[in-house]
Amino acid sequence: MARSRAYFDWNATAPLNEAARAAMLVAFDQVGNPSSIHAEGRAARQIVNEAREAVAAALGAQARQVVFTSGGTEANDMALNPHWRHLNGAPLSRLIVSAVEHPSVLAGGSFAADQVEILPVSSDGIADLAALDEMLAAGGPALVALMLANNETGILQPVAEAARLIHRHGGLLHVDAVQGLGKMPFAIGDLMADSLSLSAHKIGGPKGVGALVLGDEAKAPMPLLRGGGQERNHRAGTENVIGIAGFGAAVRLCAGRLEPDIERMADLRARLEAGLMGVPGTHIFGAEVARLPNTTLFSLPGLKAETAIIAFDLEGIAVSSGSACSSGRVQPSHVLAAMGASLDLAQGAIRASLGPESRENEVDMAVKAWKKLSQLLIKN
Ligand code: PLP
């Protein structure tokens, strides 16, 4: 990537890392189908198996708990199924999702729209566990989706605490951990998640590959994609061997350097936020609570996110709005709305998400651009 620009949109997607690229180049030359018995097939299977081991090891899981998918969206969609194998044909009748989940969770998977209930969050963006307890007590066993870390704000959720509650009420917990991977340590056992979704492209792997990791292989959602018996009958379709090879290499790399990466990103984020706060009126969402080390969502009253993103872009800095931006138009963020943020602040929310390769001079460029932008805002 040209380093004259500063790329601060790692939560949207991370640059492909060298290890992932190299692993994919090797996989490109494997002709075999991983389901074939001959030598070519076995070679392809080995690539998939090694990646599976790497993903499992990073999460404190066994390889058989890892089901490769086409990404985080498919993993979420797969998990949000009323039918799980161990329920023996007695489907769950309710899905509870936190109000700040990714759209791929808010869509509700295979649940009918009237089976989906929204769990409120506090003004700090944290799921209201007292409300969850009441909701769980008020009906039959539910599947609950609570994300590990929010993609817009970086705010962390009390997942293990929620798991205890959910399991006490006979429910299941799905955790969208797409943004947590590579930015915080966690193990599926500690989170007590029944399933957990990951995406390769958020950690320097390729786009279009991810995984659903099961807390216990005997407890699995029924397959979304049916056909062949791939992925131990959890997900039909010939595996994306090249993408999976890249995912495995990216996971191995980020797991091996997690601590220094976290420290580096946290230092850079602190430098960035100190600089941003130099502009009077700057608001940082979630500054008082535990967040991912790389993410900052900030705003100024009267600012429009679209204008700000273009202004940053012209200064050579790639940031995004915290909110969904489809077809180029910024929509008000459902995350900030759920936190009760004022529209004035929410409509100007800008997300800078850093990566382990971000640099101090890039952070300083962003601070300078923020100061310039605020001056323009005052003049207008
Ligand atoms: N969940 C969260 C929290 C995300 O940030 C994303 C990506 O934007 C996804 C799920 C979807 O992942 P993918 O792009 O691999 O479908």
PDB file of all heavy atoms in Angstrom, residues 63-92:
ATOM      1  N   ALA A  63      -9.647 -28.594  16.771  1.00  0.00           N
ATOM      2  CA  ALA A  63      -9.883 -28.403  15.334  1.00  0.00           C
ATOM      3  C   ALA A  63     -11.315 -28.778  14.933  1.00  0.00           C
ATOM      4  O   ALA A  63     -11.923 -28.121  14.097  1.00  0.00           O
ATOM      5  CB  ALA A  63      -8.869 -29.219  14.533  1.00  0.00           C
ATOM      6  N   ARG A  64     -11.855 -29.827  15.552  1.00  0.00           N
ATOM      7  CA  ARG A  64     -13.199 -30.273  15.125  1.00  0.00           C
ATOM      8  C   ARG A  64     -14.304 -29.267  15.469  1.00  0.00           C
ATOM      9  O   ARG A  64     -15.435 -29.393  15.000  1.00  0.00           O
ATOM     10  CB  ARG A  64     -13.518 -31.649  15.725  1.00  0.00           C
ATOM     11  CG  ARG A  64     -13.604 -31.661  17.224  1.00  0.00           C
ATOM     12  CD  ARG A  64     -14.060 -33.026  17.769  1.00  0.00           C
ATOM     13  NE  ARG A  64     -14.161 -32.969  19.207  1.00  0.00           N
ATOM     14  CZ  ARG A  64     -13.138 -33.124  20.030  1.00  0.00           C
ATOM     15  NH1 ARG A  64     -11.944 -33.389  19.541  1.00  0.00           N
ATOM     16  NH2 ARG A  64     -13.306 -33.024  21.333  1.00  0.00           N
ATOM     17  N   GLN A  65     -13.966 -28.269  16.288  1.00  0.00           N
ATOM     18  CA  GLN A  65     -14.961 -27.244  16.633  1.00  0.00           C
ATOM     19  C   GLN A  65     -15.046 -26.133  15.582  1.00  0.00           C
ATOM     20  O   GLN A  65     -15.907 -25.269  15.655  1.00  0.00           O
ATOM     21  CB  GLN A  65     -14.621 -26.618  17.997  1.00  0.00           C
ATOM     22  CG  GLN A  65     -14.805 -27.559  19.184  1.00  0.00           C
ATOM     23  CD  GLN A  65     -14.158 -27.005  20.458  1.00  0.00           C
ATOM     24  OE1 GLN A  65     -13.126 -27.503  20.893  1.00  0.00           O
ATOM     25  NE2 GLN A  65     -14.747 -25.982  21.031  1.00  0.00           N
ATOM     26  N   VAL A  66     -14.119 -26.153  14.612  1.00  0.00           N
ATOM     27  CA  VAL A  66     -14.037 -25.055  13.639  1.00  0.00           C
ATOM     28  C   VAL A  66     -14.728 -25.432  12.325  1.00  0.00           C
ATOM     29  O   VAL A  66     -14.376 -26.430  11.703  1.00  0.00           O
ATOM     30  CB  VAL A  66     -12.556 -24.699  13.355  1.00  0.00           C
ATOM     31  CG1 VAL A  66     -12.452 -23.603  12.289  1.00  0.00           C
ATOM     32  CG2 VAL A  66     -11.850 -24.278  14.639  1.00  0.00           C
ATOM     33  N   VAL A  67     -15.695 -24.628  11.920  1.00  0.00           N
ATOM     34  CA  VAL A  67     -16.393 -24.833  10.645  1.00  0.00           C
ATOM     35  C   VAL A  67     -16.073 -23.630   9.754  1.00  0.00           C
ATOM     36  O   VAL A  67     -16.410 -22.499  10.101  1.00  0.00           O
ATOM     37  CB  VAL A  67     -17.923 -24.906  10.866  1.00  0.00           C
ATOM     38  CG1 VAL A  67     -18.649 -25.112   9.538  1.00  0.00           C
ATOM     39  CG2 VAL A  67     -18.289 -25.992  11.878  1.00  0.00           C
ATOM     40  N   PHE A  68     -15.407 -23.883   8.635  1.00  0.00           N
ATOM     41  CA  PHE A  68     -15.083 -22.751   7.744  1.00  0.00           C
ATOM     42  C   PHE A  68     -16.316 -22.309   6.968  1.00  0.00           C
ATOM     43  O   PHE A  68     -17.142 -23.130   6.547  1.00  0.00           O
ATOM     44  CB  PHE A  68     -13.947 -23.131   6.788  1.00  0.00           C
ATOM     45  CG  PHE A  68     -12.605 -23.169   7.473  1.00  0.00           C
ATOM     46  CD1 PHE A  68     -11.879 -24.349   7.540  1.00  0.00           C
ATOM     47  CD2 PHE A  68     -12.090 -22.020   8.070  1.00  0.00           C
ATOM     48  CE1 PHE A  68     -10.643 -24.389   8.186  1.00  0.00           C
ATOM     49  CE2 PHE A  68     -10.853 -22.051   8.714  1.00  0.00           C
ATOM     50  CZ  PHE A  68     -10.136 -23.229   8.775  1.00  0.00           C
ATOM     51  N   THR A  69     -16.423 -20.996   6.812  1.00  0.00           N
ATOM     52  CA  THR A  69     -17.568 -20.396   6.109  1.00  0.00           C
ATOM     53  C   THR A  69     -17.032 -19.375   5.097  1.00  0.00           C
ATOM     54  O   THR A  69     -15.823 -19.181   4.987  1.00  0.00           O
ATOM     55  CB  THR A  69     -18.479 -19.652   7.101  1.00  0.00           C
ATOM     56  OG1 THR A  69     -17.748 -18.530   7.636  1.00  0.00           O
ATOM     57  CG2 THR A  69     -18.952 -20.545   8.237  1.00  0.00           C
ATOM     58  N   SER A  70     -17.964 -18.680   4.444  1.00  0.00           N
ATOM     59  CA  SER A  70     -17.554 -17.658   3.476  1.00  0.00           C
ATOM     60  C   SER A  70     -17.292 -16.317   4.153  1.00  0.00           C
ATOM     61  O   SER A  70     -17.133 -15.308   3.475  1.00  0.00           O
ATOM     62  CB  SER A  70     -18.626 -17.496   2.404  1.00  0.00           C
ATOM     63  OG  SER A  70     -19.797 -16.975   2.993  1.00  0.00           O
ATOM     64  N   GLY A  71     -17.302 -16.282   5.476  1.00  0.00           N
ATOM     65  CA  GLY A  71     -17.005 -15.024   6.172  1.00  0.00           C
ATOM     66  C   GLY A  71     -17.811 -14.887   7.444  1.00  0.00           C
ATOM     67  O   GLY A  71     -18.508 -15.829   7.870  1.00  0.00           O
ATOM     68  N   GLY A  72     -17.706 -13.716   8.042  1.00  0.00           N
ATOM     69  CA  GLY A  72     -18.413 -13.446   9.294  1.00  0.00           C
ATOM     70  C   GLY A  72     -19.917 -13.432   9.105  1.00  0.00           C
ATOM     71  O   GLY A  72     -20.669 -13.922   9.958  1.00  0.00           O
ATOM     72  N   THR A  73     -20.366 -12.890   7.990  1.00  0.00           N
ATOM     73  CA  THR A  73     -21.814 -12.806   7.745  1.00  0.00           C
ATOM     74  C   THR A  73     -22.427 -14.200   7.689  1.00  0.00           C
ATOM     75  O   THR A  73     -23.442 -14.467   8.351  1.00  0.00           O
ATOM     76  CB  THR A  73     -22.071 -12.044   6.424  1.00  0.00           C
ATOM     77  OG1 THR A  73     -21.576 -10.712   6.568  1.00  0.00           O
ATOM     78  CG2 THR A  73     -23.555 -12.012   6.076  1.00  0.00           C
ATOM     79  N   GLU A  74     -21.795 -15.091   6.928  1.00  0.00           N
ATOM     80  CA  GLU A  74     -22.354 -16.454   6.842  1.00  0.00           C
ATOM     81  C   GLU A  74     -22.287 -17.162   8.200  1.00  0.00           C
ATOM     82  O   GLU A  74     -23.224 -17.880   8.572  1.00  0.00           O
ATOM     83  CB  GLU A  74     -21.607 -17.295   5.792  1.00  0.00           C
ATOM     84  CG  GLU A  74     -22.286 -18.646   5.600  1.00  0.00           C
ATOM     85  CD  GLU A  74     -21.432 -19.662   4.850  1.00  0.00           C
ATOM     86  OE1 GLU A  74     -20.737 -19.288   3.896  1.00  0.00           O
ATOM     87  OE2 GLU A  74     -21.484 -20.840   5.244  1.00  0.00           O
ATOM     88  N   ALA A  75     -21.200 -16.944   8.934  1.00  0.00           N
ATOM     89  CA  ALA A  75     -21.073 -17.602  10.251  1.00  0.00           C
ATOM     90  C   ALA A  75     -22.196 -17.120  11.180  1.00  0.00           C
ATOM     91  O   ALA A  75     -22.810 -17.915  11.897  1.00  0.00           O
ATOM     92  CB  ALA A  75     -19.702 -17.319  10.852  1.00  0.00           C
ATOM     93  N   ASN A  76     -22.482 -15.822  11.143  1.00  0.00           N
ATOM     94  CA  ASN A  76     -23.578 -15.306  11.972  1.00  0.00           C
ATOM     95  C   ASN A  76     -24.912 -15.884  11.519  1.00  0.00           C
ATOM     96  O   ASN A  76     -25.721 -16.339  12.331  1.00  0.00           O
ATOM     97  CB  ASN A  76     -23.623 -13.770  11.896  1.00  0.00           C
ATOM     98  CG  ASN A  76     -22.540 -13.126  12.757  1.00  0.00           C
ATOM     99  OD1 ASN A  76     -22.078 -13.721  13.725  1.00  0.00           O
ATOM    100  ND2 ASN A  76     -22.142 -11.910  12.408  1.00  0.00           N
ATOM    101  N   ASP A  77     -25.119 -15.867  10.214  1.00  0.00           N
ATOM    102  CA  ASP A  77     -26.380 -16.363   9.669  1.00  0.00           C
ATOM    103  C   ASP A  77     -26.571 -17.836  10.024  1.00  0.00           C
ATOM    104  O   ASP A  77     -27.677 -18.276  10.351  1.00  0.00           O
ATOM    105  CB  ASP A  77     -26.343 -16.180   8.139  1.00  0.00           C
ATOM    106  CG  ASP A  77     -27.722 -15.931   7.566  1.00  0.00           C
ATOM    107  OD1 ASP A  77     -28.668 -15.721   8.341  1.00  0.00           O
ATOM    108  OD2 ASP A  77     -27.851 -15.973   6.337  1.00  0.00           O
ATOM    109  N   MET A  78     -25.480 -18.581   9.973  1.00  0.00           N
ATOM    110  CA  MET A  78     -25.548 -20.018  10.271  1.00  0.00           C
ATOM    111  C   MET A  78     -25.914 -20.261  11.743  1.00  0.00           C
ATOM    112  O   MET A  78     -26.730 -21.126  12.063  1.00  0.00           O
ATOM    113  CB  MET A  78     -24.184 -20.646   9.963  1.00  0.00           C
ATOM    114  CG  MET A  78     -24.133 -22.140  10.192  1.00  0.00           C
ATOM    115  SD  MET A  78     -22.490 -22.750   9.764  1.00  0.00           S
ATOM    116  CE  MET A  78     -22.609 -24.389  10.486  1.00  0.00           C
ATOM    117  N   ALA A  79     -25.321 -19.458  12.608  1.00  0.00           N
ATOM    118  CA  ALA A  79     -25.561 -19.660  14.047  1.00  0.00           C
ATOM    119  C   ALA A  79     -26.992 -19.293  14.443  1.00  0.00           C
ATOM    120  O   ALA A  79     -27.562 -19.906  15.353  1.00  0.00           O
ATOM    121  CB  ALA A  79     -24.572 -18.829  14.855  1.00  0.00           C
ATOM    122  N   LEU A  80     -27.550 -18.294  13.768  1.00  0.00           N
ATOM    123  CA  LEU A  80     -28.868 -17.810  14.188  1.00  0.00           C
ATOM    124  C   LEU A  80     -29.968 -18.687  13.585  1.00  0.00           C
ATOM    125  O   LEU A  80     -30.743 -18.283  12.725  1.00  0.00           O
ATOM    126  CB  LEU A  80     -29.052 -16.344  13.793  1.00  0.00           C
ATOM    127  CG  LEU A  80     -27.984 -15.386  14.340  1.00  0.00           C
ATOM    128  CD1 LEU A  80     -28.366 -13.953  14.058  1.00  0.00           C
ATOM    129  CD2 LEU A  80     -27.752 -15.593  15.833  1.00  0.00           C
ATOM    130  N   ASN A  81     -29.988 -19.904  14.074  1.00  0.00           N
ATOM    131  CA  ASN A  81     -30.914 -20.914  13.562  1.00  0.00           C
ATOM    132  C   ASN A  81     -31.693 -21.465  14.752  1.00  0.00           C
ATOM    133  O   ASN A  81     -31.086 -21.824  15.771  1.00  0.00           O
ATOM    134  CB  ASN A  81     -30.081 -22.031  12.899  1.00  0.00           C
ATOM    135  CG  ASN A  81     -30.929 -22.985  12.090  1.00  0.00           C
ATOM    136  OD1 ASN A  81     -32.088 -23.251  12.424  1.00  0.00           O
ATOM    137  ND2 ASN A  81     -30.358 -23.497  11.019  1.00  0.00           N
ATOM    138  N   PRO A  82     -33.012 -21.545  14.654  1.00  0.00           N
ATOM    139  CA  PRO A  82     -33.780 -22.106  15.782  1.00  0.00           C
ATOM    140  C   PRO A  82     -33.491 -23.597  15.983  1.00  0.00           C
ATOM    141  O   PRO A  82     -33.711 -24.133  17.069  1.00  0.00           O
ATOM    142  CB  PRO A  82     -35.244 -21.915  15.361  1.00  0.00           C
ATOM    143  CG  PRO A  82     -35.260 -21.145  14.094  1.00  0.00           C
ATOM    144  CD  PRO A  82     -33.869 -21.114  13.532  1.00  0.00           C
ATOM    145  N   HIS A  83     -32.991 -24.246  14.913  1.00  0.00           N
ATOM    146  CA  HIS A  83     -32.771 -25.703  14.982  1.00  0.00           C
ATOM    147  C   HIS A  83     -31.296 -26.012  15.252  1.00  0.00           C
ATOM    148  O   HIS A  83     -30.440 -25.688  14.439  1.00  0.00           O
ATOM    149  CB  HIS A  83     -33.187 -26.368  13.669  1.00  0.00           C
ATOM    150  CG  HIS A  83     -34.638 -26.154  13.352  1.00  0.00           C
ATOM    151  ND1 HIS A  83     -35.634 -26.968  13.838  1.00  0.00           N
ATOM    152  CD2 HIS A  83     -35.260 -25.197  12.613  1.00  0.00           C
ATOM    153  CE1 HIS A  83     -36.803 -26.534  13.409  1.00  0.00           C
ATOM    154  NE2 HIS A  83     -36.609 -25.454  12.668  1.00  0.00           N
ATOM    155  N   TRP A  84     -31.019 -26.619  16.395  1.00  0.00           N
ATOM    156  CA  TRP A  84     -29.669 -27.077  16.736  1.00  0.00           C
ATOM    157  C   TRP A  84     -29.744 -28.589  16.919  1.00  0.00           C
ATOM    158  O   TRP A  84     -30.761 -29.111  17.405  1.00  0.00           O
ATOM    159  CB  TRP A  84     -29.161 -26.393  18.024  1.00  0.00           C
ATOM    160  CG  TRP A  84     -28.754 -24.956  17.790  1.00  0.00           C
ATOM    161  CD1 TRP A  84     -29.527 -23.969  17.256  1.00  0.00           C
ATOM    162  CD2 TRP A  84     -27.485 -24.355  18.077  1.00  0.00           C
ATOM    163  NE1 TRP A  84     -28.815 -22.793  17.178  1.00  0.00           N
ATOM    164  CE2 TRP A  84     -27.554 -22.998  17.685  1.00  0.00           C
ATOM    165  CE3 TRP A  84     -26.285 -24.825  18.627  1.00  0.00           C
ATOM    166  CZ2 TRP A  84     -26.482 -22.112  17.821  1.00  0.00           C
ATOM    167  CZ3 TRP A  84     -25.218 -23.942  18.772  1.00  0.00           C
ATOM    168  CH2 TRP A  84     -25.315 -22.602  18.361  1.00  0.00           C
ATOM    169  N   ARG A  85     -28.678 -29.264  16.530  1.00  0.00           N
ATOM    170  CA  ARG A  85     -28.709 -30.740  16.514  1.00  0.00           C
ATOM    171  C   ARG A  85     -29.131 -31.350  17.850  1.00  0.00           C
ATOM    172  O   ARG A  85     -29.948 -32.256  17.882  1.00  0.00           O
ATOM    173  CB  ARG A  85     -27.321 -31.274  16.173  1.00  0.00           C
ATOM    174  CG  ARG A  85     -27.067 -31.120  14.711  1.00  0.00           C
ATOM    175  CD  ARG A  85     -25.758 -31.725  14.302  1.00  0.00           C
ATOM    176  NE  ARG A  85     -25.606 -31.374  12.895  1.00  0.00           N
ATOM    177  CZ  ARG A  85     -24.538 -31.575  12.165  1.00  0.00           C
ATOM    178  NH1 ARG A  85     -23.489 -32.145  12.703  1.00  0.00           N
ATOM    179  NH2 ARG A  85     -24.505 -31.220  10.920  1.00  0.00           N
ATOM    180  N   HIS A  86     -28.582 -30.831  18.937  1.00  0.00           N
ATOM    181  CA  HIS A  86     -28.823 -31.487  20.231  1.00  0.00           C
ATOM    182  C   HIS A  86     -30.240 -31.244  20.750  1.00  0.00           C
ATOM    183  O   HIS A  86     -30.651 -31.843  21.736  1.00  0.00           O
ATOM    184  CB  HIS A  86     -27.799 -30.992  21.265  1.00  0.00           C
ATOM    185  CG  HIS A  86     -27.984 -29.563  21.673  1.00  0.00           C
ATOM    186  ND1 HIS A  86     -27.689 -28.508  20.840  1.00  0.00           N
ATOM    187  CD2 HIS A  86     -28.452 -29.005  22.814  1.00  0.00           C
ATOM    188  CE1 HIS A  86     -27.952 -27.365  21.452  1.00  0.00           C
ATOM    189  NE2 HIS A  86     -28.418 -27.646  22.654  1.00  0.00           N
ATOM    190  N   LEU A  87     -30.994 -30.370  20.089  1.00  0.00           N
ATOM    191  CA  LEU A  87     -32.357 -30.083  20.553  1.00  0.00           C
ATOM    192  C   LEU A  87     -33.364 -31.113  20.028  1.00  0.00           C
ATOM    193  O   LEU A  87     -34.547 -31.051  20.356  1.00  0.00           O
ATOM    194  CB  LEU A  87     -32.785 -28.666  20.139  1.00  0.00           C
ATOM    195  CG  LEU A  87     -31.932 -27.533  20.726  1.00  0.00           C
ATOM    196  CD1 LEU A  87     -32.362 -26.183  20.145  1.00  0.00           C
ATOM    197  CD2 LEU A  87     -32.042 -27.490  22.253  1.00  0.00           C
ATOM    198  N   ASN A  88     -32.849 -32.036  19.200  1.00  0.00           N
ATOM    199  CA  ASN A  88     -33.670 -33.150  18.712  1.00  0.00           C
ATOM    200  C   ASN A  88     -35.022 -32.719  18.165  1.00  0.00           C
ATOM    201  O   ASN A  88     -36.072 -33.217  18.587  1.00  0.00           O
ATOM    202  CB  ASN A  88     -33.885 -34.195  19.832  1.00  0.00           C
ATOM    203  CG  ASN A  88     -32.569 -34.759  20.300  1.00  0.00           C
ATOM    204  OD1 ASN A  88     -31.682 -35.006  19.493  1.00  0.00           O
ATOM    205  ND2 ASN A  88     -32.427 -34.920  21.606  1.00  0.00           N
ATOM    206  N   GLY A  89     -34.994 -31.769  17.260  1.00  0.00           N
ATOM    207  CA  GLY A  89     -36.228 -31.379  16.580  1.00  0.00           C
ATOM    208  C   GLY A  89     -37.121 -30.443  17.362  1.00  0.00           C
ATOM    209  O   GLY A  89     -38.213 -30.109  16.911  1.00  0.00           O
ATOM    210  N   ALA A  90     -36.706 -30.018  18.544  1.00  0.00           N
ATOM    211  CA  ALA A  90     -37.512 -29.056  19.319  1.00  0.00           C
ATOM    212  C   ALA A  90     -36.853 -27.679  19.182  1.00  0.00           C
ATOM    213  O   ALA A  90     -35.920 -27.351  19.919  1.00  0.00           O
ATOM    214  CB  ALA A  90     -37.559 -29.471  20.785  1.00  0.00           C
ATOM    215  N   PRO A  91     -37.296 -26.883  18.214  1.00  0.00           N
ATOM    216  CA  PRO A  91     -36.576 -25.630  17.931  1.00  0.00           C
ATOM    217  C   PRO A  91     -36.715 -24.585  19.030  1.00  0.00           C
ATOM    218  O   PRO A  91     -37.694 -24.581  19.785  1.00  0.00           O
ATOM    219  CB  PRO A  91     -37.240 -25.143  16.638  1.00  0.00           C
ATOM    220  CG  PRO A  91     -38.578 -25.788  16.608  1.00  0.00           C
ATOM    221  CD  PRO A  91     -38.462 -27.075  17.355  1.00  0.00           C
ATOM    222  N   LEU A  92     -35.722 -23.718  19.076  1.00  0.00           N
ATOM    223  CA  LEU A  92     -35.813 -22.543  19.952  1.00  0.00           C
ATOM    224  C   LEU A  92     -36.856 -21.612  19.335  1.00  0.00           C
ATOM    225  O   LEU A  92     -36.973 -21.528  18.111  1.00  0.00           O
ATOM    226  CB  LEU A  92     -34.458 -21.826  20.004  1.00  0.00           C
ATOM    227  CG  LEU A  92     -33.306 -22.637  20.584  1.00  0.00           C
ATOM    228  CD1 LEU A  92     -31.964 -22.097  20.096  1.00  0.00           C
ATOM    229  CD2 LEU A  92     -33.370 -22.612  22.110  1.00  0.00           C
TER     230      LEU A  92
END
